[in-house]
Amino acid sequence: MYNYLDFEKPVADLEGQILELKKLAESGEAVDVADEIARLEKRSKDALIEIYRSLTPWQKAQVARHPDRPHCLDYVRGLFTDFTPLAGDRAYGEDNAVIAGFARFNGESVAVLGQEKGNDTQSRLKHNFGMARPEGYRKAVRVMDLADRFGIPLISIVDTTGAYPGIGAEERGQAEAIAQSTSRSLGLKVPNIAVVIGEGGSGGAIAIATANQVYMLEHSIYSVISPEGAASILWRDASRAKDAATNMKITAQDLMNLKVIDGIIPEPIGGAHRGPEKVLEATAAQIEKGFAELSGKEMDYREHRREKFLAIGRTL
Amino acid sequence: MNWITSYVRPKINSMLGRREMPENLWIKDPESGEMVFHKDLEDNLWVIPSSGHHMKISARERLKSFFDDGEYAVLENPKVVIDPLKFRDERRYTDRLRDAKAKTSMEDAVLSGVGRVEGLELVATVQDFAFMGGSLGMAAGEAIVRAFETAVERKLPLVLYAASGGARMQEGILSLMQLPRTTVALDRLKEAGLPYIVVLTNPTTGGVTASYAMLGDVHIAEPGALIGFAGPRVIEQTIREKLPEGFQRAEYLRDHGMVDMVVSRLEMRETIARLLKILLKEKVEAKPEIVEEVVVEEAEAVSDAAPEAEAEQPKA
């Protein structure tokens, strides 16, 4: 059973019926339910296809935040071998919201950065719901320094509501830490690729998302402020998040049209959580393709990245 | 020299820029409640003479008071796509823009100029909070990029006066993209060996701090300025407790290591010119009494911190 989103109610009903029928069949009480199950399964699949064919931006935001959605560490486990996490910013502390380290991708050395939201109460607390503090961004800078020194390409897995808004985070220079991380990433001499797998939440996301190639999952979002935040500021009513989501253009498709990202990674019908293996496969294929294109060009990766970002918005 | 669009003379500028506003003849000091005659405030760069409270100042007045004899060449800001998202909240974004233009007689939130400060030629770029809260959209971002590029081309230092509530939500992701775009521009200035000084004024928050406002070679803040990544209201809502006294104010940031110095607006010209001339290794006659003054200030700061340091020593 999945956690169902509001707009998935028709599917939830059908899948609930299927489950009950299956139980009946197992207990031997029902005579012949196989046909009925098959019929319901087809209906439920059709309903899912119908719903996911035309998700609104606000619905996509909910899919992007779906609790069952694969998170950063699922990608780390699925995409890489020999993953070796590193910890600490060498100045203040360790921040588990940011995953950082080295690994192998298709046998080749890579540096890895990402934000992990956690998938149960305990791990959510451990990873602070994917909301990084300054230490996390400073750890990211450390790993980017190492990647540059050893000439190792970097992969960023972006998934955060935003950087953590807290007293300590502010005192220790949250803004400065994000700015330095963005600057470091933009200045990398090695190639890098960023994939937004769920939420690309404002400055907290961009700190590790300025890459030679930036991809988004089909139902992920990337935004300057959360739809709720924009609604409460612009409409003075957080319940207008739906309008904010629509107006702000936050979906992968919108960002592709605005030429802010370089590609969209397809998700299974019903979202990444209904086929994690497929999503991992598609993501691996896209990253592989991205690096192949980049390395084929024999270029100055830093200049490429800088010019690419300067060009954003100049030709709309 | 096509970057010169107009050559502003101080007297002409003051006649054009300031209209008669009889209802604002007397202005209330938010700290003491004292009523101050607006002409006195204007003559004192909008610093209240008795309390030293710094009021907001327009970008034009800022540049006029910053450059020698109020003379500078306005840098032409690049044209950008207006309202790329066709954004509408309770009002159309284009209507909001039109009102802001009428109110400030500026094209957008950033004004840049080239001129001399105590004889030293430099580029100054200023955000005007009166224009939609100094928010950073494509126009402002592009203006800042142009200012940095001009400084690099002409081998001049750059001084940036930050004043902003953050990103311009009505431009969505394109607003967020101004963080990396401005960062690329300032990184190139630094690589060209040119100094970059940031003056943080009231208020400087959000995405602006997570990029160029926190990446200066030297950070100067005006007294009492609110400076932070997350706004105080957001933090209070997140942690559900009261914020400490003076939290996110200029002096608080200096004490937490994020700002080099808090400097009165009335001493800004002198401070910046002195600093830049040292960084650029301009030869001047040594004046020992000034050195002595600095030493006294430093000594006080050290003695303040001493008891804590001593208390910690026995543990080591």
Side-chain angles (χ1 to χ4, degrees), chain B residues 69-87:
Chain B
D69 305 321
E71 289 182 16
Y72 61 96
V74 173
L75 215 65
E76 189 183 353
N77 290 332
K79 291 266 174 287
V80 297
V81 178
I82 304 297
D83 191 17
L85 307 185
K86 308 273 172 281
F87 196 94

Side-chain angles (χ1 to χ4, degrees), chain A residues 172-184:
Chain A
R172 301 193 298 278
Q174 184 72 290
E176 194 264 357
I178 292 170
Q180 290 290 355
S181 181
T182 309
S183 166
R184 189 67 192 87

Side-chain angles (χ1 to χ4, degrees), chain A residues 170-171 303 306 310 314, chain B residues 142 181 191 248 252:
Chain A
E170 290 289 319
E171 285 178 344
E303 276 309 297
R306 285 176 168 179
L310 283 179
R314 280 184 178 164
Chain B
E142 201 72 315
R181 296 183 78 255
E191 280 162 23
Q248 293 184 320
Y252 196 89

Side-chain angles (χ1 to χ4, degrees), chain A residues 75-117:
Chain A
Y75 287 82
V76 169
R77 281 187 284 263
L79 296 175
F80 309 124
T81 52
D82 285 354
F83 176 63
T84 309
L86 301 181
D89 67 345
R90 298 296 185 272
Y92 181 83
E94 158 66 348
D95 182 355
N96 286 307
V98 173
I99 305 298
F102 287 89
R104 290 181 182 277
F105 177 70
N106 290 340
E108 303 284 342
S109 301
V110 288
V112 179
L113 287 176
Q115 289 123 343
E116 170 62 39
K117 287 181 166 180

